[in-house]
Amino acid sequence: METSIEQIREQALSQLKTALHPDEIKALSVRYLGRKGVITQFLRDISKLPSEERPEAGKRANEVKKELDTSFKEILKKIESQASAAKGRIDVSLPGRAVPRGFLHPLTLVTREICSIFIKLGFDIAEGPEVETDYYNFEALNLPKNHPARDMQDTFYVSDNIVLRTQTSPMQIRVMEQQAPPVRIIAPGKVYRCDSDITHTPMFSQVEGLLVDKDISFGDLKGILTAFVHQIFDKDTSLRFRPSFFPFTEPSAEVDICCIMCKGRGCRICSNTGWLEILGSGMVHPAVFENVGYDTNRYTGFAFGMGVERIAMLKYGIDDLRKYFENDFRFLRQF
Ligand code: 2U9
């Protein structure tokens, strides 16, 4: 026999030391202890030894066989238990999985942008109920029952006296009832009108504003609204104030901006006028101040209102109102 049992033992144990995977240990076990393995072969070859050497060689070979078998089993058990413990652990070296990010609806984004411009101009935010009494939605705003101007708004009635607010103006009435001038607020929120076609939805978003103090003039209205337009659109956007009528303001004006699509040359968006209407405004009607107990000899004020959908359409070039309400991710995730 060329290789002694001690050499076989040394070799097997040193190979076992470097084995890392259960498959490597199983392969070593087969190589040394299998049916055609090194030790099995050694035991077979003992018959070729002189008869006086056979008992000792057989005894030692069986001892080594047993020792290796125990060692293989122990190491295999150790490696397998380490592998199963590692299964529950986090591998910090793996690349992270991307977490899908949420995003804001374009109407939320534009409402927030409008609010932040007015906050910088010194306005506070006032929010309140979407279900209102007839008094706050109409009466207090100089729209008594049977007033022809009530026809201007198609109203969702909850009951005889309760409506879904058709504008956020009831909020300004509520604030004025609660505090004396000066008042400088904006009222953002959803409003409802019984109207549904390609250019109207039964629910839409508004931001309205109110400023009341001593010596407030139409010049202040123009200054604040011009500053707003220059921040929400381009800083050199031209605007014009066009006489209009609202029951709650006198005088009243609508605000147009130079068409941002054609720069005033005339296009499909501005119906070839070169102008786009974006705001309604005016000096608060004295009858409204009387309803909340403000002294009309001491205080004047202005108010304005805008539809957020329209501002967002112009800012982002959105061409269809329905896109805001369809909840199509391909549209919503662009903002
Ligand atoms: C009080 C007094 C006056 C708010 C105003 C407008 C003019 C206006 C429209 C714009 C587009 C509504 O969303 S829209 O359809 N709004 O034109 N709103 S003045 O006037 C007020 C508000 C509250 C106490």
Side-chain angles (χ1 to χ4, degrees):
M1 285 201 284
E2 285 152 20
T3 317
S4 77
I5 189 69
E6 300 310 326
Q7 282 172 315
I8 293 169
R9 177 180 171 275
E10 289 292 309
Q11 204 178 41
L13 289 174
S14 92
Q15 284 174 349
L16 184 62
K17 260 189 207 157
T18 58
L20 295 169
H21 196 273
D23 289 348
E24 284 180 74
I25 296 161
K26 284 173 199 163
L28 282 178
S29 176
V30 172
R31 188 183 309 156
Y32 286 95
L33 309 174
R35 258 187 329 114
K36 292 178 185 164
V38 180
I39 302 242
T40 319
Q41 197 54 51
F42 185 92
L43 282 165
R44 261 189 221 126
D45 290 346
I46 284 177
S47 59
K48 294 177 193 157
L49 289 174
S51 59
E52 64 278 14
E53 288 177 25
R54 281 182 214 156
E56 187 49 37
K59 183 174 168 247
R60 182 64 191 138
N62 277 315
E63 278 169 7
V64 170
K65 187 180 175 187
K66 213 169 163 188
E67 182 192 357
L68 290 182
D69 187 49
T70 312
S71 298
F72 289 157
K73 281 180 181 151
E74 269 173 10
I75 303 286
L76 185 65
K77 206 169 147 190
K78 197 170 140 198
I79 289 182
E80 279 177 344
S81 76
Q82 279 171 350
S84 77
K87 256 186 205 159
R89 264 190 262 134
I90 294 165
D91 182 351
V92 289
S93 68
L94 285 174
R97 268 187 223 120
V99 177
R101 282 184 63 195
F103 40 85
L104 295 174
H105 192 281
L107 293 175
T108 309
L109 282 173
V110 174
T111 303
R112 287 191 185 179
E113 193 178 341
I114 295 168
C115 289
S116 95
I117 293 169
F118 282 106
I119 285 167
K120 279 185 260 170
L121 290 166
F123 287 73
D124 291 326
I125 292 180
E127 285 173 309
E130 291 174 16
V131 182
E132 268 295 359
T133 61
D134 183 276
Y135 176 77
Y136 285 108
N137 196 74
F138 292 125
E139 206 101 358
L141 287 155
N142 200 29
L143 277 152
K145 285 206 167 68
N146 305 319
H147 190 291
R150 281 201 187 198
D151 291 344
M152 285 165 68
Q153 289 149 355
D154 297 295
T155 311
F156 284 112
Y157 279 87
V158 175
S159 67
D160 266 1
N161 201 35
I162 306 288
V163 299
L164 298 189
R165 68 181 180 188
T166 56
Q167 53 208 14
T168 59
S169 322
M171 226 18 248
Q172 284 97 298
I173 299 290
R174 288 177 182 278
V175 170
M176 287 193 286
E177 279 182 346
Q178 296 297 315
Q179 76 176 72
V183 169
R184 211 179 251 253
I185 51 162
I186 47 165
K190 293 192 187 82
V191 300
Y192 302 85
R193 292 189 196 170
C194 193
D195 210 351
S196 186
D197 58 37
I198 197 92
T199 54
H200 299 89
T201 50
M203 178 193 77
F204 64 101
S205 307
Q206 271 193 342
V207 176
E208 284 198 349
L210 172 74
L211 189 148
V212 188
D213 207 340
K214 284 178 189 149
D215 302 324
I216 297 299
S217 71
F218 202 87
D220 296 303
L221 177 156
K222 287 182 79 176
I224 289 283
L225 294 182
T226 303
F228 164 70
V229 165
H230 286 170
Q231 287 183 64
I232 194 92
F233 297 108
D234 215 65
K235 69 174 179 341
D236 37 45
T237 308
S238 310
L239 59 163
R240 69 178 185 184
F241 291 79
R242 190 166 34 77
S244 187
F245 170 78
F246 303 109
F248 27 82
T249 50
E250 183 60 36
S252 306
E254 274 168 306
V255 183
D256 298 339
I257 57 165
C258 180
C259 180
I260 50 180
M261 304 296 167
C262 65
K263 303 281 175 235
R265 283 186 293 272
C267 68
R268 192 179 55 86
I269 304 295
C270 61
S271 309
N272 281 314
T273 62
W275 294 96
L276 296 164
E277 185 192 316
I278 56 150
L279 275 158
S281 64
M283 301 306 291
V284 178
H285 198 292
V288 174
F289 282 154
E290 271 155 27
N291 286 335
V292 294
Y294 279 10
D295 183 347
T296 51
N297 293 315
R298 287 180 72 193
Y299 298 109
T300 48
F302 66 82
F304 54 88
M306 68 190 94
V308 181
E309 283 78 358
R310 180 152 175 81
I311 305 276
M313 275 177 142
L314 298 173
K315 264 183 87 74
Y316 295 127
I318 297 164
D319 59 359
D320 189 342
L321 255 186
R322 290 168 295 190
K323 292 209 167 90
Y324 291 124
F325 306 104
E326 280 167 351
N327 284 334
D328 185 334
F329 262 31
R330 290 167 301 176
F331 169 73
L332 294 176
R333 69 169 157 238
Q334 293 176 65
F335 302 93

